Amino acid sequence: MLTDADLDPAPLHGKTVAIIGFGNQGRAQALNLHDSGITVRVGLRPGSDRAAEAAAAGLTVLPPEEAAAGANLVFLLAPDEHLPAIYAAIEPRLAQGAALGFAHGLCIHYGLIVPRADLDVIMVAPKGPGAALRRLYTEGKGMVALAAVAQDATGNAWPLALAYAAALGSGRAGAGVLRSTFEQETVSDLFNEGAVVWGAVPAILEAGFETLVEAGIDPALAYLECVSELKLLADLVEARGIAGMREAISNTAEFRASRGGGRIVDDAVRATMRTMLAELRGNGFAQALSAEAAADYPTLRAERARARASALEAARVRLKG
Ligand SMILES: NC(=O)c1ccc[n+]([C@@H]2O[C@H](COP(=O)([O-])OP(=O)(O)OC[C@H]3O[C@@H](n4cnc5c(N)ncnc54)[C@H](OP(=O)(O)O)[C@@H]3O)[C@@H](O)[C@H]2O)c1
């Protein structure tokens, strides 16, 4: 882990950074850079609801092509599936030898964007949501980030990536910057999203809730047991690790957990995980994401509607109002 003692902010001094998009990451990164003394332009589509907030924060707001024109570094912080079209629109305006930045490696790793040969291509990927990236910065703290270089046309790509990570606050005490690659970041991120935290964990919470309710347990109690306790687990794991979490719970809970976890996450689950990881070697997921966006997100809309209409959501509303 590199910290501020290892990171030189100088490569960004006097440079102009264009941030395309002002959503989760764009807002946080633009504001952190601005507060770190970097000149920031925000690129937004005409009519964007977010232009007023960016301007009120003292940032220059321009259409994406104009924000990118002549900037030293252009970070693409709109949804991944829209980045190829955004890149195509701004490419003619990018200065020779400028740098192109990403917060996730998908478009580069799977070849959805093939940047011009004269450009540096870097990644600084904070390992958490934009709201937390911003909050930590304003508290004088930072968020762990991965840094990577896909194309080093000028020879300055790495110093620039590390200076950018420092300006985001990622080199501060308690955080740090991990050197990585576009491939490792993309594959591990997509694997986790599908097979671990964001894909498997909600699915197992739902399955546990439904199993209890089918057996006649009050849905409110099933929700408290199978869903609400996730926060207790997450806080303990964050503070003390999995080993410390086990020591912090009752002997009854720890003994029950020792007899249950391996039965659920059995050899078949591990085999499915390996299959899901192997699928990420090809670009099928990236193509499917592009097709999903082109069809106006039918899968995401259906999944959101299903979750909203579920018995689990009804129990949550009953408990929390
Ligand atoms: N979400 C996270 O916390 C997180 C964490 C780590 C990495 N990342 C990565 O960060 C990048 C940005 O993700 P995000 O979640 O921050 O995105 P997001 O919040 O969904 O981005 C929204 C912003 O993108 C703009 N935008 C959308 N489509 C556009 C288009 N076609 N042309 C121009 N601007 C467009 C929106 O413009 P309007 O204002 O006009 O709507 C808005 O300002 C992605 O590469 C993602 O993988 C995200």
Side-chain angles (χ1 to χ4, degrees):
M1 282 287 195
L2 305 173
T3 61
D4 279 343
D6 315 299
L7 302 174
D8 180 5
L12 266 184
H13 287 167
K15 301 282 168 65
T16 297
V17 178
I19 300 283
I20 310 300
F22 199 69
N24 294 313
Q25 286 296 320
R27 177 182 177 280
Q29 296 199 20
L31 294 176
N32 288 10
L33 292 172
H34 180 66
D35 289 350
S36 293
I38 312 297
T39 303
V40 177
R41 300 172 187 161
V42 175
L44 283 173
R45 301 179 281 201
S48 166
D49 292 344
R50 314 183 208 225
E53 188 195 350
L59 303 171
T60 303
V61 181
L62 296 165
E65 297 85 343
E66 289 179 33
N72 303 100
L73 171 57
V74 180
F75 250 77
L76 300 185
L77 296 178
D80 293 298
E81 63 274 21
H82 294 298
L83 297 186
I86 293 173
Y87 176 74
I90 66 170
E91 192 197 63
R93 310 292 293 274
L94 294 174
Q96 282 284 313
L100 192 63
F102 296 84
H104 179 40
L106 182 135
C107 285
I108 294 294
H109 179 62
Y110 290 117
L112 302 182
I113 294 176
V114 180
R116 247 175 32 205
D118 62 285
L119 302 173
D120 288 342
V121 181
I122 67 173
M123 173 170 54
V124 177
K127 286 286 97 190
L133 178 69
R134 180 60 184 156
R135 178 177 47 75
L136 287 166
Y137 184 97
T138 59
E139 293 170 356
K141 301 177 195 158
M143 176 179 279
V144 169
L146 301 185
V149 168
Q151 188 165 289
D152 192 1
T154 69
N156 293 321
W158 267 111
L160 191 66
L162 297 178
Y164 188 93
L168 289 186
S170 293
R172 292 176 174 178
V177 182
L178 192 63
R179 279 179 183 257
S180 187
T181 65
F182 274 65
E183 179 187 13
Q184 292 230 339
E185 187 276 341
T186 304
V187 169
S188 59
D189 197 62
L190 295 178
F191 175 75
N192 173 47
E193 285 165 357
V196 190
V197 172
W198 305 101
V201 171
I204 206 159
L205 301 186
E206 286 178 339
F209 170 88
E210 287 164 7
T211 303
L212 284 183
V213 172
E214 275 166 24
I217 302 281
D218 182 338
L221 176 55
Y223 188 93
L224 288 172
E225 287 293 347
C226 295
V227 184
S228 293
E229 290 198 9
L230 183 66
K231 172 144 176 41
L232 307 178
L233 173 81
D235 287 348
L236 277 172
V237 171
E238 170 66 17
R240 304 177 56 162
I242 288 179
M245 174 274 290
R246 291 209 186 284
E247 289 157 16
I249 59 181
S250 72
N251 286 347
T252 310
E254 187 182 1
F255 188 55
R256 185 69 190 149
S258 76
R259 294 162 71 98
R263 285 178 68 189
I264 298 291
V265 183
D266 59 8
D267 287 346
V269 169
R270 289 176 187 277
T272 303
M273 284 185 166
R274 284 192 284 274
T275 300
M276 290 174 74
L277 180 59
E279 286 166 4
L280 294 173
R281 302 274 170 234
N283 72 351
F285 174 75
Q287 300 295 348
L289 178 64
S290 299
E292 173 77 5
D296 198 21
Y297 305 101
T299 310
L300 297 190
R301 286 177 192 279
E303 274 296 312
R304 288 171 191 161
R306 184 198 63 76
R308 279 271 160 234
S310 68
L312 187 150
E313 179 61 9
R316 186 189 73 82
V317 171
R318 204 176 120 208
L319 276 167
K320 311 217 168 186

